[in-house]
Amino acid sequence: MAISRRNFLKCAAFTAGGAVLADNPFVKATAAAAMKKEVKHVPSYCEMCFWRCGLIARVEDGRVVKLDGNPLHPQSRGRLCAKGNAGMGLLYDKDRLKTPLIRTGERGDGKYRKASWNEAYAYIAEKLNGVKKKYGPESVALFSHGSGGQYMGNFLEAFGSPNHSHPSYAQCVGAREVAFTLTYGQGPASTAERVDMANSRVIALFGSHLGENMHNSHNQDFVDGLGNGAKLIVVDPRYSTAAGKASIWLPIKPGTDLALILGWINIVIQEKWYDRDYLEKYATGFEQLKEAVKEYTPEWAARETDLPKGDIVEAIRELGRYKPNVVVHPGRHYSWYGDDTQRGRGLAILNALLGTWGRKGGLWLPPKVNLVKMKQTLKYPKPRRESLAFGDYPEAAGGITTEVRRATIDGSPYPIKAWFVIGTNLMKTLPAPEKTKEAVKNLDLLVNIDLMPTDMVMMSDVILPTTSYLERHDALAIVTQKNAGIAIRQPVVNPWKNVKPAWLIAKELCDKMGLGKYVAYNTLEEQMRQQAKLWKIDYNELVKTGYIPVADSYHPYITEKNQPEFATDSKKIELYSSTLDNDNMDPVPKFTRHKEPPAGTFRLIYGRSPVHTFSRTMNNKWLWQLKNENEVWLSATVARRLGIDNGEKVFLVNEKGVRSNVVKAKVTERIREDCVYVIHGFGSTSKRMTMTYGRGIDDTQMMSHYATDPISGTNGLRVNFVKIVKES
Ligand SMILES: Nc1nc2c(c(=O)[nH]1)N[C@H]1C(S)=C(S)[C@@H](COP(=O)(O)OP(=O)(O)OC[C@H]3O[C@@H](n4cnc5c(=O)[nH]c(N)nc54)[C@H](O)[C@@H]3O)O[C@H]1N2
Ligand SMILES: Nc1nc2c(c(=O)[nH]1)N[C@H]1C(S)=C(S)[C@@H](COP(=O)(O)OP(=O)(O)OC[C@H]3O[C@@H](n4cnc5c(=O)[nH]c(N)nc54)[C@H](O)[C@@H]3O)O[C@H]1N2
Ligand code: SF4
Ligand SMILES: [Mo]
């Protein structure tokens, strides 16, 4: 049994106090203090990123001193990643917002006065009523990321607006969800991606820089798979951490992934690597697919992708040999080049040909859970107008942030005049940040609900400071991994200063606007208890353990009795998409070339640091010590040509002449010559973020361009070209 810190201190105090130092008053005082320390272990779940691992907080005298993974929770399995471990850095960040603030100067000049919550609500209510009267309730929009979004979403609906948008759709995973839904009738993730890497014989990654992209149990599965002898194929213009573990690394020309995918599909069909029985039973459109891809020969794919033909062929044969216990990882961050739904369709089709959906080592089947969520008791009013957040994109499946921004600028199809922003730093998250600034100029009201004085927060009219995930309840979470369970988020410590959780802010805003009837609870916990009762779960037990598994009747793989269901029109896997055909889009993906970097410029690509999440952790003093600035990766050949030494100070200039901050050059053989790479999230422009202000390159600042996917409406962000300039 491990000695707890409390017992250890007790022992130490006892020996010290009992012998030589018996009369030392200082020792007596500390010993007494140590004896009195109240130690608690409180379970909850993490939101340093959106993997939402179960955690156990060690709280001493009301202060969190350590966070560990909850062994019961399938997404942590007893461990947290570095970001999760550093949660106290957010909780106790001295730069945190402490009280509501109302702007007194011009937008963006950083001048605010402290306000009470009532004053802040009154200010918001007056402006909202003005917008409603002049333009209608639908002229209010919400941008959200994270757990607070649901409560503010309820507020928006009660107010009468359908304009809720999410960076996790248009700047992240949207195109994947659309692509897989077109093919399989649903996406490849439930709570998290259902990739059975721990049991795969061959894993292929397109981008998907696992190990840098640090989602806890996903990386555990990846490592287990490699430990079990899985072969790894990595397609990445950069020799990523994952590429370092690969038996085949394909340093693809950026933007040509679809050429490789189509080439592979063609080889699978020509060389008959596909799973014939599986396709006969579950898929439709094979003949049309075969016909459509026959022009995509290995020679052609090699030319387009700048990869050796032999490697292309060998990699796909390796997948074919071990099918169906293999997986072409569906990926997560999809907003790359603007043809991202079609790239996703290609990955979905490849998996279908290899028969991986519902197979061990492939993509496990979605769990069927019979857990009904509590319904809104009173129906929200029907919005007078349709949401403009879906644009004109035929398969848009989520609110598109950049559509709301566009409508805010040009007022069509109707004006947007107020923004609520919660849990997203739009200045770092949406491409073409100059457009975000332009849109904000048109607003009558901009409210931000956040913990930190970020770039976006410091543009607001009203700043509402909120609790961190360690200080609040959030609605009970259904966790669906290979099994299902319920997880609780509960305060591990009392909220500090004058901050409030999002559920309370939404409720109080509803009250203020005369919409209180739409909120059926006094405290969220009251509702959580009701929900637990409905699910026949012991709430008190959940409070103690953090996670309770629910009925285990679930089988991850296809068997005779356990058959997959596909919610497509044909009820089969659609290799040829009739929906896309109806939309006048390519029913089978076609390759189109993307613009290449003009001479003297490089394509800007980006990714993650394993110890940071987007732009939200850069001011965290623990993580700051691990990494407080990014660098520009550039190829050693290019560096020689430009006379840049490793570690030399450089900056980037984009096609519109926008200049980045200065950082060190990382001269390396680990990247192609046609691109440069930075880690996303750095380069804060907010002086109140004292640890991170002005540090590092902001990739978003360099993204004057983006390419819109015609099917899903999501953004392609890897279409910007930059020059590298030596500071000297
Ligand atoms: N530590 C940490 N982990 C995270 C996050 C975080 O913020 N921090 N965020 C989470 C979230 S929400 C997401 S969406 C994911 C994002 O992480 P991923 O889904 O892994 O993102 P990708 O864009 O697929 O991968 C980035 C890699 O793509 C490579 N790349 C660039 N251009 C191309 C190209 O044209 N073709 C190919 N094949 N590769 C290319 C880059 O070199 C880089 O190695 O990470 C998740 N995990
Ligand atoms: N240029 C570029 N743009 C990108 C990406 C990229 O790699 N490069 N990645 C894209 C991807 S994959 C994603 S998912 C998005 C992520 O985009 P965002 O979710 O906008 O990510 P962050 O920049 O971390 O902003 C999060 C904000 O939430 C605040 N916050 C943290 N915890 C809480 C909380 O509990 N409550 C509230 N109310 N606020 C909180 C933080 O202080 C911060 O202001 O960005 C996308 N945009
Ligand atoms: S992966 Fe890390 S940061 Fe994300 S939820 Fe899990 S412990 Fe927290
Ligand atoms: Mo994301």
Side-chain angles (χ1 to χ4, degrees):
M1 201 185 85
I3 303 177
S4 73
R5 193 174 135 90
R6 186 176 175 187
N7 285 333
F8 172 78
L9 285 171
K10 258 194 201 163
C11 294
F14 188 73
T15 15
V20 199
L21 298 167
D23 295 326
N24 182 328
F26 172 74
V27 170
K28 265 191 195 157
T30 23
M35 305 272 282
K36 259 202 276 164
K37 229 171 214 170
E38 192 212 347
V39 180
K40 286 192 296 184
H41 290 94
V42 190
S44 188
Y45 62 88
C46 184
E47 196 163 318
M48 291 296 280
C49 84
F50 296 107
W51 202 249
R52 300 194 170 99
C53 300
L55 64 82
I56 296 176
R58 183 180 168 91
V59 183
E60 292 183 1
D61 285 342
R63 213 180 148 81
V64 183
V65 296
K66 191 160 188 319
L67 298 167
D68 287 300
N70 185 345
L72 298 176
H73 195 294
Q75 270 157 261
S76 43
R77 307 174 195 160
R79 297 173 194 173
L80 298 180
C81 79
K83 302 166 288 161
N85 269 305
M88 295 94 80
L90 173 66
L91 179 61
Y92 301 123
D93 193 318
K94 64 177 173 28
D95 295 334
R96 256 185 83 176
L97 299 165
K98 299 172 181 72
T99 195
L101 298 171
I102 296 177
R103 179 169 64 83
T104 52
E106 291 300 305
R107 275 204 187 108
D109 72 5
K111 294 197 180 112
Y112 288 87
R113 69 176 171 89
K114 288 183 185 164
S116 69
W117 281 91
N118 270 338
E119 276 177 281
Y121 289 147
Y123 182 102
I124 293 169
E126 193 197 319
K127 295 277 178 182
L128 277 183
N129 283 327
V131 169
K132 186 174 173 177
K133 204 164 156 200
K134 201 157 166 201
Y135 307 97
E138 62 281 353
S139 290
V140 177
L142 169 66
F143 297 79
S144 79
H145 198 184
S147 48
Q150 55 185 313
Y151 316 111
M152 285 308 294
N154 293 345
F155 166 71
L156 192 78
E157 279 193 72
F159 188 73
S161 172
N163 290 311
H164 189 174
S165 71
H166 316 265
S168 57
Y169 177 77
Q171 284 71 39
C172 177
V173 77
R176 179 190 78 188
E177 291 305 289
V178 171
F180 275 73
T181 304
L182 286 167
T183 316
Y184 294 93
Q186 65 168 287
S190 301
T191 307
E193 283 82 8
R194 300 188 302 271
V195 193
D196 198 18
M197 287 184 287
N199 298 306
S200 296
R201 307 213 39 201
V202 186
I203 302 167
L205 303 176
F206 281 80
S208 295
H209 56 328
L210 303 181
E212 291 159 291
N213 155 353
M214 185 48 70
H215 276 163
N216 190 351
S217 57
H218 211 54
N219 277 279
Q220 294 188 38
D221 286 346
F222 178 53
V223 170
D224 285 350
L226 297 180
N228 292 337
K231 290 210 173 140
L232 179 63
I233 298 161
V234 171
V235 184
D236 195 314
R238 185 181 65 99
Y239 192 73
S240 61
T241 300
K245 318 264 178 251
S247 50
I248 304 179
W249 171 42
L250 298 171
I252 195 165
K253 185 203 280 184
T256 65
D257 293 74
L258 191 49
L260 176 62
I261 295 165
L262 290 167
W264 274 4
I265 292 176
N266 190 23
I267 297 172
V268 169
I269 294 177
Q270 295 307 322
E271 298 187 2
K272 301 202 165 36
W273 291 111
Y274 53 87
D275 187 331
R276 222 184 73 194
D277 295 344
Y278 183 92
L279 291 178
E280 268 174 15
K281 202 160 174 194
Y282 300 122
T284 114
F286 182 79
E287 288 306 323
Q288 288 143 305
L289 175 72
K290 185 175 173 183
E291 183 57 28
V293 300
K294 67 176 190 228
E295 62 185 288
Y296 300 123
T297 61
E299 294 72 24
W300 169 85
R303 270 196 314 274
E304 291 295 340
T305 58
D306 194 22
L307 293 170
K309 182 185 139 193
D311 288 357
I312 293 180
V313 174
E314 180 46 29
I316 189 63
R317 285 183 183 158
E318 197 70 355
L319 281 157
R321 260 176 226 127
Y322 292 100
K323 68 161 187 305
N325 308 113
V326 301
V327 71
V328 183
H329 194 294
R332 182 170 179 118
H333 177 59
Y334 254 56
S335 35
W336 290 8
Y337 297 100
D339 56 356
D340 303 306
T341 300
Q342 292 293 17
R343 189 181 78 252
R345 277 271 298 152
L347 294 176
I349 291 169
L350 253 182
N351 276 296
L353 294 176
L354 298 167
T356 71
W357 185 277
R359 293 317 232 310
K360 187 171 181 188
L363 294 156
W364 73 71
L365 291 178
K368 291 176 198 141
V369 280
N370 256 338
L371 294 170
V372 264
K373 283 207 185 166
M374 282 169 63
K375 283 222 179 78
Q376 175 66 22
T377 36
L378 188 65
K379 261 200 172 168
Y380 294 121
K382 191 174 176 313
R384 302 182 321 163
R385 305 201 214 203
E386 261 184 49
S387 173
L388 53 70
F390 298 91
D392 290 329
Y393 303 98
E395 301 305 325
I400 304 165
T401 45
T402 37
E403 276 301 304
V404 178
R405 183 178 70 179
R406 184 200 48 70
T408 311
I409 296 172
D410 67 20
S412 99
Y414 52 85
I416 294 290
K417 285 292 175 182
W419 284 9
F420 283 82
V421 180
I422 179 164
T424 168
N425 184 3
L426 296 179
M427 286 304 294
K428 289 278 176 284
T429 303
L430 305 189
E434 60 285 356
K435 289 199 176 156
T436 307
K437 283 190 182 156
E438 195 185 333
V440 166
K441 279 196 195 128
N442 281 350
L443 294 174
D444 291 351
L445 177 68
L446 172 53
V447 181
N448 237 292
I449 301 169
D450 206 297
L451 283 92
M452 299 298 299
T454 65
D455 321 52
M456 188 63 201
V457 167
M458 295 316 290
M459 289 169 68
S460 314
D461 303 331
V462 184
I463 302 174
L464 301 179
T466 193
T467 44
S468 75
Y469 67 99
L470 293 167
E471 303 161 297
R472 64 175 184 240
H473 285 106
D474 269 311
L476 294 182
I478 304 176
V479 179
T480 49
Q481 287 287 283
K482 279 189 187 161
N483 241 315
I486 305 299
I488 189 170
R489 173 171 288 147
Q490 56 185 339
V492 307
V493 288
N494 292 328
W496 81 335
K497 317 278 176 189
N498 194 15
V499 306
K500 294 189 180 190
W503 66 261
L504 184 58
I505 296 174
K507 178 179 159 54
E508 290 179 345
L509 273 171
C510 277
D511 287 340
K512 190 83 197 172
M513 302 301 299
L515 304 168
K517 61 183 178 203
Y518 291 105
V519 187
Y521 53 84
N522 292 309
T523 67
L524 186 68
E525 203 192 4
E526 188 183 303
Q527 199 188 42
M528 291 161 74
R529 283 182 185 277
Q530 285 168 14
Q531 178 72 81
K533 207 166 164 188
L534 200 73
W535 287 339
K536 300 189 173 61
I537 281 182
D538 183 345
Y539 185 84
N540 296 329
E541 181 68 14
L542 191 56
V543 164
K544 276 189 234 146
T545 61
Y547 180 83
I548 294 184
V550 292
D552 177 8
S553 60
Y554 162 62
H555 305 284
Y557 309 130
I558 296 178
T559 60
E560 227 164 87
K561 275 197 190 144
N562 190 42
Q563 287 295 308
E565 285 164 21
F566 303 105
T568 52
D569 286 347
S570 59
K571 304 280 174 256
K572 295 204 162 191
I573 303 171
E574 298 205 352
L575 304 175
Y576 176 98
S577 168
S578 44
T579 308
L580 287 180
D581 200 13
N582 288 337
D583 293 338
N584 277 328
M585 300 285 164
D586 296 328
V588 171
K590 278 200 181 107
F591 180 69
T592 42
R593 276 199 199 106
H594 297 293
K595 192 179 155 199
E596 294 200 22
T601 70
F602 306 89
R603 187 182 294 278
L604 177 65
I605 61 172
Y606 53 83
R608 306 281 180 245
S609 155
V611 302
H612 282 292
T613 303
F614 320 120
S615 78
R616 67 175 54 204
T617 53
M618 278 62 192
N619 211 63
N620 181 311
K621 71 176 177 188
W622 278 278
L623 298 174
W624 189 94
Q625 285 182 26
L626 297 177
K627 186 153 194 70
N628 54 49
E629 204 166 287
N630 52 5
E631 52 282 302
V632 176
W633 291 48
L634 81 156
S635 106
T637 318
V638 169
R640 256 192 309 278
R641 205 165 65 221
L642 299 177
I644 295 172
D645 292 328
N646 188 34
E648 201 172 344
K649 295 280 181 68
V650 295
F651 59 89
L652 304 179
V653 183
N654 76 4
E655 287 176 289
K656 285 210 169 158
V658 179
R659 207 191 121 148
S660 77
N661 286 344
V662 174
V663 298
K664 286 182 186 158
K666 176 174 170 133
V667 175
T668 171
E669 304 287 348
R670 290 173 55 188
I671 189 164
R672 287 174 56 97
E673 289 174 33
D674 49 7
C675 51
V676 293
Y677 173 85
V678 297
I679 288 167
H680 168 64
F682 287 96
S684 172
T685 56
S686 167
K687 290 191 176 139
R688 296 196 192 197
M689 305 273 283
T690 56
M691 300 289 288
T692 190
Y693 167 68
R695 279 186 171 264
I697 285 183
D698 170 9
D699 58 335
T700 311
Q701 187 199 19
M702 294 290 101
M703 291 176 181
S704 296
H705 302 279
Y706 60 95
T708 304
D709 182 282
I711 300 170
S712 63
T714 55
N715 300 167
L717 306 178
R718 290 183 182 154
V719 295
N720 290 274
F721 306 120
V722 293
K723 283 192 186 120
I724 312 178
V725 186
K726 298 210 273 185
E727 192 191 21
S728 58

